Amino acid sequence: MSRLDEKIALYESEMKKLGLDYDAELLAKITKSIGPSIYKVDAETVSGSDERELATVKNNFLIKKLGLSNGPDLDEAISKVLEKFGKSNRSKYRPIFYYLLVKELGQESKY
């Protein structure tokens, strides 16, 4: 099993723990698109309490990568994803976070 496959299995396990239905193929595509950051402990997760990090997710992923227009709907989507994880959950894995954003905003066709 490759390191990427191990990470995907970890994220699938986390999705099950969160009680979320998911599309395994889409999760794998998003995980692969993130690149080597998933192998770095600090970069692998998203800090839900760090406004700078959430702004980076919004600018770099939602606006630049997905090509969405900046607006209140993006902030609302980020808030909904944070609720799905739960504030006390410290393991907000970036691929899962991005997957939930893609689903929330109906951007599956980008993958």
Side-chain angles (χ1 to χ4, degrees), residues 35-76:
S37 67
I38 62 171
Y39 304 110
K40 297 176 185 165
V41 176
D42 187 47
E44 182 182 29
T45 58
V46 173
S47 173
S49 60
D50 184 348
E51 291 300 322
R52 276 192 8 231
E53 177 144 17
L54 295 177
T56 299
V57 167
K58 180 178 169 182
N59 290 323
N60 292 352
F61 181 67
L62 297 177
I63 296 171
K64 289 180 183 174
K65 183 142 185 137
L66 296 182
L68 301 173
S69 298
N70 192 2
D73 55 323
L74 300 185
D75 295 317
E76 187 177 313

Side-chain angles (χ1 to χ4, degrees), residues 85-99:
F85 269 107
K87 297 232 183 242
S88 62
N89 184 346
R90 296 186 55 81
S91 298
K92 294 178 183 76
Y93 289 109
R94 190 169 302 278
I96 297 172
F97 200 89
Y98 287 5
Y99 172 89

